[in-house]
Amino acid sequence: MLKITKGILVGLAAMLLLAAGVSAKPKSHEFNVPAEDVYQAAYKYAREHHRVNFTDEKNLVFEFHTGTSLASWGFDCNVSIERTKGGAILILNVQKTKQQLLAWGAGDRMAEKFFKGVEAELSHEEKK
């Protein structure tokens, strides 16, 4: 008969947490402005606060890496903008870096902060 030890339980719990982190779903936010404006605002915010690695303005996509913090070694993020009838949807896919085992929800917090930053950029542009 298999003897379940504390070490086995800890190992199983760690595996479940890792599996949950790997299957993170992309976050999205809808805007009532043209897709090109959302792209420009998102790109500007990412460029000012993170390290942009790739951009394709024609297809409204770019990639960036966040900086490190006490809670995280940073995230690799993919951004895409989809046109809608009333504006655009910004889709942000946040992935942990390879070295990082757990992020404890930091990806969700980073996504919310990113969306708020894009909203601020758009409202700043409207005031001009």
Side-chain angles (χ1 to χ4, degrees), residues 62-116:
F62 65 90
E63 297 175 0
F64 66 92
H65 181 80
T66 66
T68 59
S69 69
L70 291 176
S72 153
W73 287 336
F75 298 97
D76 293 321
C77 303
N78 302 323
V79 175
S80 62
I81 315 301
E82 294 181 1
R83 290 175 177 83
T84 64
K85 288 183 181 182
I89 297 176
L90 187 154
I91 300 166
L92 178 64
N93 186 16
V94 180
Q95 297 296 319
K96 294 180 284 195
T97 60
K98 294 176 185 169
Q99 307 93 350
Q100 189 171 343
L101 294 178
L102 299 172
W104 300 110
D108 291 337
R109 290 189 306 273
M110 198 289 304
E112 288 304 315
K113 186 175 180 181
F114 187 80
F115 293 142
K116 287 179 182 177

Side-chain angles (χ1 to χ4, degrees), residues 29-45:
H29 189 80
E30 193 162 349
F31 295 90
N32 293 323
V33 297
E36 291 75 12
D37 293 351
V38 174
Y39 176 85
Q40 291 301 323
Y43 179 70
K44 181 178 180 186
Y45 181 82

Side-chain angles (χ1 to χ4, degrees), residues 9-68:
L9 289 176
V10 169
L12 288 172
M15 287 173 44
L16 288 173
L17 286 171
L18 288 172
V22 170
S23 62
K25 294 180 182 176
K27 317 298 186 259
S28 64
H29 189 80
E30 193 162 349
F31 295 90
N32 293 323
V33 297
E36 291 75 12
D37 293 351
V38 174
Y39 176 85
Q40 291 301 323
Y43 179 70
K44 181 178 180 186
Y45 181 82
R47 192 179 69 237
E48 291 175 356
H49 298 277
H50 306 293
R51 186 182 74 229
V52 176
N53 301 325
F54 170 80
T55 183
D56 181 353
E57 188 171 355
K58 179 181 175 186
N59 292 305
L60 303 177
V61 298
F62 65 90
E63 297 175 0
F64 66 92
H65 181 80
T66 66
T68 59

